[in-house]
């Protein structure tokens, strides 16, 4: 099975988890290429200075200093570099120009004859022509129990809203946002975890869920779980008021 991974150059969580995924891939699955999008934590394209200012304005000085320090350290530690993790395994990087859905970018993907696209924090909207590039379409990891908590930063929202459980969902991508049918779903008790701890746990769970999904697709033996739009909730990026309510509720970022 020929896989193409669609991901982003996240400096905090992705590199080591993708490395774990690659180590655990079954013998019949091969990552033949990757697309690495520029990191976009706010769900839209912004300059680095805009991202810094927004982080400071919304999350405050202690959060800004902590993650600013982690960002610098990540640049010095190759284990946190997504591109290097892929390069160390000699996995080709597909260079795209602009939106991935452009015809010239789709042709680059088709050249690798993928059986399955695997989106891990892919941060562009995928259109039908892209989804049809691979024989089995595209799966995506979402670190929440869909159909609840579609959208951005579910680890923040489940804590703010006082949920007792969260989890991960791997689903077939359609042209909506986190709306496709679910292939694998795993539940997790939140306990007293901070947001950072929750992200760590769910990312690792997510890699195992992706591996399970690949096995199901390869065998053809699976039943899809409905991603019921009538039950959905959707969240965007938090505001400063949301962060204040998060902290007032006794929740922790780290």
């Amino acid at each position: 099975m020929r896989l193409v991974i669609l991901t982003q150059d996240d400096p905090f969580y992705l590199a080591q988890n993708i490395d774990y995924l690659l180590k655990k891939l079954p013998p019949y699955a091969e990552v033949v290429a990757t697309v690495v999008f520029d990191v976009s934590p706010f769900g839209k394209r912004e300059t680095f200075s805009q991202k810094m200012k927004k982080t400071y304005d919304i999350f405050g000085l202690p959060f800004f200093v902590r993650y600013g320090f982690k960002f610098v350290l990540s640049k010095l530690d190759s284990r946190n570099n997504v591109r290097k993790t892929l390069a160390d395994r000699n996995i080709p990087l597909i260079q795209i120009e602009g939106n991935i859905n452009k015809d010239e970018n789709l042709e680059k993907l088709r050249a690798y004859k993928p059986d399955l696209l695997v989106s891990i924090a892919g941060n562009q909207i995928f259109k039908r022509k892209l989804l049809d590039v691979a024989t089995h379409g595209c799966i995506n990891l979402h670190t929440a129990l869909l159909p609840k908590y579609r959208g951005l930063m579910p680890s923040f929202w489940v804590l703010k809203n006082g949920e007792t459980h969260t989890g991960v969902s791997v689903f077939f991508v359609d042209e909506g946002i986190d709306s496709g049918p679910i292939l694998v779903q795993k539940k997790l008790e939140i306990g007293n975890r901070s947001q950072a701890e929750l992200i760590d746990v769910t990312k690792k769970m997510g890699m195992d869920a992706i591996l399970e999904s690949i096995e199901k697709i390869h065998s053809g033996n699976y039943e899809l779980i409905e991603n019921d739009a009538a039950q959905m909730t959707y969240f965007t990026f938090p505001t400063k008021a949301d962060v204040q309510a998060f902290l007032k509720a006794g929740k922790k970022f780290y």
Side-chain angles (χ1 to χ4, degrees):
M1 181 182 286
R2 297 171 63 82
L3 311 177
V4 171
I5 292 178
L6 312 175
T7 188
Q8 63 172 289
D9 199 11
D10 172 271
F12 302 120
Y13 298 102
L14 284 185
Q16 293 186 46
N17 281 293
I18 289 174
D19 186 58
Y20 172 86
L21 175 70
L22 296 174
K23 288 176 180 175
K24 295 285 187 177
L25 278 177
Y28 58 76
E30 176 189 7
V31 178
V32 295
T34 60
V35 174
V36 180
F37 303 109
D38 291 335
V39 66
S40 182
F42 298 101
K44 62 180 180 179
R45 302 295 173 265
E46 295 173 320
T47 66
F48 184 71
S49 60
Q50 286 174 324
K51 292 172 186 174
M52 289 179 62
K53 182 178 186 302
K54 186 174 282 188
T55 301
Y56 177 83
D57 290 344
I58 293 175
F59 293 99
L61 182 61
F63 184 101
F64 178 83
V65 170
R66 181 182 179 91
Y67 278 93
F69 185 64
K70 284 189 70 175
F71 177 81
V72 172
L73 287 180
S74 75
K75 294 300 181 182
L76 301 174
D77 186 348
S78 62
R79 294 175 301 173
N80 292 317
N81 188 307
V82 171
R83 294 176 190 272
K84 187 175 187 306
T85 296
L86 298 167
D88 285 348
R89 293 177 173 273
N90 298 311
I91 297 172
L93 182 65
I94 302 173
Q95 301 287 351
I96 65 168
E97 298 294 333
N99 192 288
I100 194 172
N101 299 286
K102 291 167 62 176
D103 287 340
E104 53 266 40
N105 291 329
L106 298 182
E107 284 304 312
K108 293 178 181 179
L109 268 70
R110 288 191 188 101
Y112 288 91
K113 300 179 180 178
D115 295 305
L116 182 68
L117 304 178
V118 180
S119 172
I120 305 172
N123 55 12
Q124 293 192 21
I125 300 296
F126 299 160
K127 300 298 185 182
R128 174 49 54 191
K129 283 186 178 181
L130 170 62
L131 303 178
D132 289 341
V133 163
T135 307
H136 296 290
C138 176
I139 58 173
N140 181 68
L141 169 65
H142 187 69
T143 49
L145 296 173
L146 294 172
K148 304 292 187 183
Y149 293 98
R150 295 182 186 180
L152 299 178
M153 212 169 168
S155 59
F156 172 88
W157 293 109
V158 295
L159 288 171
K160 177 184 177 294
N161 293 341
E163 300 286 358
T164 59
H165 291 79
T166 186
V168 300
S169 306
V170 176
F171 62 95
F172 281 109
V173 179
D174 59 16
E175 291 189 274
I177 297 177
D178 301 329
S179 57
I182 299 161
L183 188 58
V184 172
Q185 195 163 65
K186 296 181 179 294
K187 192 173 183 180
L188 171 73
E189 185 175 2
I190 294 173
N192 62 356
R193 290 183 174 93
S194 67
Q195 188 200 16
E197 290 169 335
L198 199 56
I199 293 172
D200 279 337
V201 171
T202 54
K203 290 295 186 193
K204 178 71 174 301
M205 282 180 65
M207 297 305 109
D208 288 328
I210 289 172
L211 291 166
E212 185 177 337
S213 298
I214 291 169
E215 169 58 30
K216 286 177 179 287
I217 293 169
H218 178 256
S219 70
N221 183 24
Y222 58 85
E223 293 184 9
L224 295 174
I225 304 167
E226 183 183 8
N227 193 344
D228 185 5
Q231 302 297 320
M232 67 90 81
T233 57
Y234 177 82
F235 294 87
T236 59
F237 205 80
T239 64
K240 186 175 182 178
D242 293 323
V243 169
Q244 290 171 341
F246 176 96
L247 296 172
K248 188 176 181 181
K251 306 303 179 182
K252 298 178 180 179
F253 286 114
Y254 39 79

